[in-house]
Amino acid sequence: MAAERYTFGMEFLSCDPSTGETVYTRPGWSVDRLQQAISRLRQHQHAWRGRPIDERVARIRRLGELIEANVDRLAPVITLEVGKLIHEARAELEKTARLCHYYADLAPTLLQPQTIPTSASRSGVSFEPLGLVFAVMPWNYPVWQALRFAVPALAAGNGCLLKPAPTVPQSTALLLELMQEAGIPVFDVAWIDVDAVEAAIAGCDAVAFTGSTRTGRLIASLAGKHIKKTVLELGGSNPVLILRDADLATAAQECAMSRFRDAGQSCNAAKRLIVVPEIADDFLQAFMAEVTRLTPGDPRQPGTTLAPLHRADLRDQLHDQVTDACRHGARCLSGGQVPDGPGFYYPATVLDHVSPACRIYHEEAFGPAASILRAENEADAVRLANDTPFGLGAAVYSQDLPRAERLARDIEAGSVFINRHTSSDLRLPFGGVKASGYGRELSEFGLYEFVNVKTFWQR
């Protein structure tokens, strides 16, 4: 649809997930306002790409310092809007600051032109910015997700336009304030409705999206229509294989931490725990001991270890998946009931004997519900791991490292961790395969996603 058909943007609204109360609203943009922002960003980006890279990364480093200095100011806002535990909000910000310093160190070397021997007197490649990168980002990590795409893109000389989730306007506004204080004029926030997304895609040069597979398909189709480069980081239903020689105490502790941190609302969290017969009952006993220690409550309080879900509808969707699993033969070992009282709380839920008859076997569970899948043997465990439309992360627990590595190579995922919970590391590429998307963020691979790798050849 043409941009002229859109008149006003949506309202952005913060709701405290621990109480259900609305705490902040702000109006959205008109499409005219969007077009003005794109035009202004283009002017700034033309100057930004011409600045020495050392100057660009100095401002990115300054952004990291500002985030570090403002953790106590930003973390409570993230907790208020997202609902995550206060220490999880602080950890998000600290990791984001490290991201800024990482690319400030890395980019000047990796973005230098490279000489490649050919028959020419001089030939090679240079790394030029694409222009403006438009990003549609989710609510669960409002600062980390936004800067995970933006920092390497900015270092490469691009401008960035962020459409945040409509439920995190305060976190986003504070991030924009720090960008401006750091002297980065080529980052702006598009306060637009979903109906204006195509206009933004058409006006920019590349697209980054993190979110559901369903929305990712729509974003990719619009980007394809306008021939824009895309990176998609979509959902995950990440398997964890616990083999017969695993350290069960470590596996149980890390699986519980990975599954229930951020109230289970992380794309790369452990979600399907696949156990072989020899250790199934022992692992489950150890895992349940970890689960029973979780304490739901106010995410601002230090004693709380299980946060509320972000929205009421997300809790409803998760509960529907749990109810469906129980109807189709899964055993609910804990949780599984919507609690009374205010807020969007849901208990730590463990479903044993999850089978293909259950929706949760095939769908991503975005909340505090762990699925136990019982494999016949190790080969069957790999089959179950791959029997999903997703392919983001996975983990294998075994003390036989050569065997664990062989099995890991057979798992269809963007990353596989051995004897460690699924996670992300600044130095390693992050992304998925299958319905979990394509392209990579982080590491040097993330730095090269939004550049024109330009060949030069001189006789």
Side-chain angles (χ1 to χ4, degrees), residues 26 29 32-42 44-45 63 131-137 146-147 149-150 154 158-164 172-173 175-180 183-192 200 204:
R26 70 170 294 156
W29 281 358
D32 285 345
R33 178 71 179 81
L34 169 65
Q35 302 293 5
Q36 292 167 12
I38 291 174
S39 177
R40 186 181 64 254
L41 272 179
R42 285 211 176 275
H44 284 303
Q45 190 270 331
L63 176 64
L132 297 186
V133 183
F134 174 63
V136 180
M137 291 289 125
L147 292 193
F149 101 86
L154 292 167
N158 295 290
C160 295
L161 181 64
L162 166 68
K163 183 206 174 304
T172 306
L175 173 59
L176 179 59
E177 180 183 318
L178 294 185
M179 279 280 189
Q180 293 168 344
I184 301 174
V186 285
F187 179 95
D188 203 355
V189 175
W191 304 102
I192 58 173
C204 293

Side-chain angles (χ1 to χ4, degrees), residues 5-287:
R5 295 185 58 182
Y6 311 126
T7 305
F8 296 104
M10 68 190 299
E11 185 176 64
F12 286 73
L13 180 150
S14 292
C15 180
D16 182 348
S18 68
T19 65
E21 297 177 354
T22 298
V23 294
Y24 178 86
T25 61
R26 70 170 294 156
W29 281 358
S30 68
V31 168
D32 285 345
R33 178 71 179 81
L34 169 65
Q35 302 293 5
Q36 292 167 12
I38 291 174
S39 177
R40 186 181 64 254
L41 272 179
R42 285 211 176 275
Q43 293 175 8
H44 284 303
Q45 190 270 331
H46 182 74
W48 178 257
R49 68 173 292 164
R51 295 182 184 276
I53 189 169
D54 287 344
E55 182 179 337
R56 296 201 300 262
V57 300
R59 299 190 185 194
I60 290 170
R61 193 182 303 281
R62 176 59 179 153
L63 176 64
E65 294 168 350
L66 288 169
I67 293 171
E68 290 168 332
N70 284 275
V71 166
D72 290 338
R73 177 186 174 208
L74 291 170
V77 177
I78 293 174
T79 291
L80 176 67
E81 290 192 309
V82 176
K84 65 173 61 181
L85 304 180
I86 187 66
H87 76 83
E88 292 173 339
R90 293 179 65 90
E92 175 184 344
L93 293 167
E94 290 163 359
K95 187 174 183 179
T96 306
R98 293 196 300 273
L99 175 80
C100 296
H101 297 307
Y102 171 77
Y103 277 113
D105 291 338
L106 190 72
T109 299
L110 291 183
L111 293 175
Q112 289 298 314
Q114 297 178 7
T115 299
I116 298 175
T118 66
S119 59
S121 62
R122 183 172 177 268
S123 59
V125 296
S126 61
F127 304 100
E128 311 292 344
L130 293 180
L132 297 186
V133 183
F134 174 63
V136 180
M137 291 289 125
W139 49 263
N140 54 342
Y141 296 91
V143 176
W144 165 252
Q145 297 278 18
L147 292 193
R148 194 170 73 183
F149 101 86
V151 166
L154 292 167
N158 295 290
C160 295
L161 181 64
L162 166 68
K163 183 206 174 304
T167 53
V168 289
Q170 294 184 87
S171 302
T172 306
L174 286 173
L175 173 59
L176 179 59
E177 180 183 318
L178 294 185
M179 279 280 189
Q180 293 168 344
E181 187 175 347
I184 301 174
V186 285
F187 179 95
D188 203 355
V189 175
W191 304 102
I192 58 173
D193 194 352
V194 293
D195 288 343
V197 164
E198 182 173 357
I201 290 174
C204 293
D205 304 294
V207 184
F209 174 75
T210 297
S212 71
T213 299
R214 178 186 177 188
T215 304
R217 289 191 178 99
L218 296 174
I219 295 289
S221 66
L222 292 173
K225 174 182 175 181
H226 295 281
I227 316 180
K228 309 293 183 178
K229 167 69 185 289
T230 55
V231 171
L232 304 181
E233 195 268 281
L234 309 179
S237 188
N238 311 306
V240 180
L241 280 61
I242 299 98
L243 305 184
R244 63 180 181 274
D245 61 348
D247 180 333
L248 296 186
T250 298
Q253 181 184 42
E254 292 199 350
C255 284
M257 182 276 295
S258 179
R259 173 66 290 211
F260 297 108
R261 67 182 175 189
D262 296 306
Q265 299 171 119
S266 174
C267 58
N268 67 331
K271 292 174 184 172
R272 296 179 298 133
L273 311 183
I274 302 173
V275 294
V276 295
E278 297 91 335
I279 53 84
D281 293 337
D282 289 341
F283 169 79
L284 195 53
Q285 182 180 1
F287 182 69

Side-chain angles (χ1 to χ4, degrees), residues 418-455:
I418 296 176
N419 294 328
R420 191 186 188 282
H421 61 87
T422 52
S423 185
S424 64
D425 187 296
L426 307 177
R427 299 159 294 186
L428 298 173
F430 181 80
V433 295
K434 302 196 296 188
S436 291
Y438 51 76
R440 291 295 180 265
E441 297 175 306
L442 304 179
S443 78
E444 62 186 86
F445 296 95
L447 186 63
Y448 292 139
E449 283 287 0
F450 293 117
V451 298
N452 171 21
V453 183
K454 182 187 294 184
T455 296

Side-chain angles (χ1 to χ4, degrees), residues 310-370:
H310 181 58
R311 299 194 312 260
D313 63 309
L314 298 174
R315 181 176 64 176
D316 293 343
Q317 292 170 21
L318 180 68
H319 187 58
D320 286 347
Q321 290 174 310
V322 170
T323 302
D324 171 82
C326 293
R327 265 200 316 266
H328 290 90
R331 292 177 54 207
C332 188
L333 303 183
S334 69
Q337 298 294 327
V338 177
D340 295 328
F344 310 136
Y345 291 91
Y346 198 78
T349 298
V350 179
L351 300 170
D352 192 11
H353 295 283
V354 171
S355 73
C358 309
R359 281 176 44 205
I360 205 168
Y361 179 96
H362 305 282
E363 299 173 353
E364 179 178 26
F366 214 65

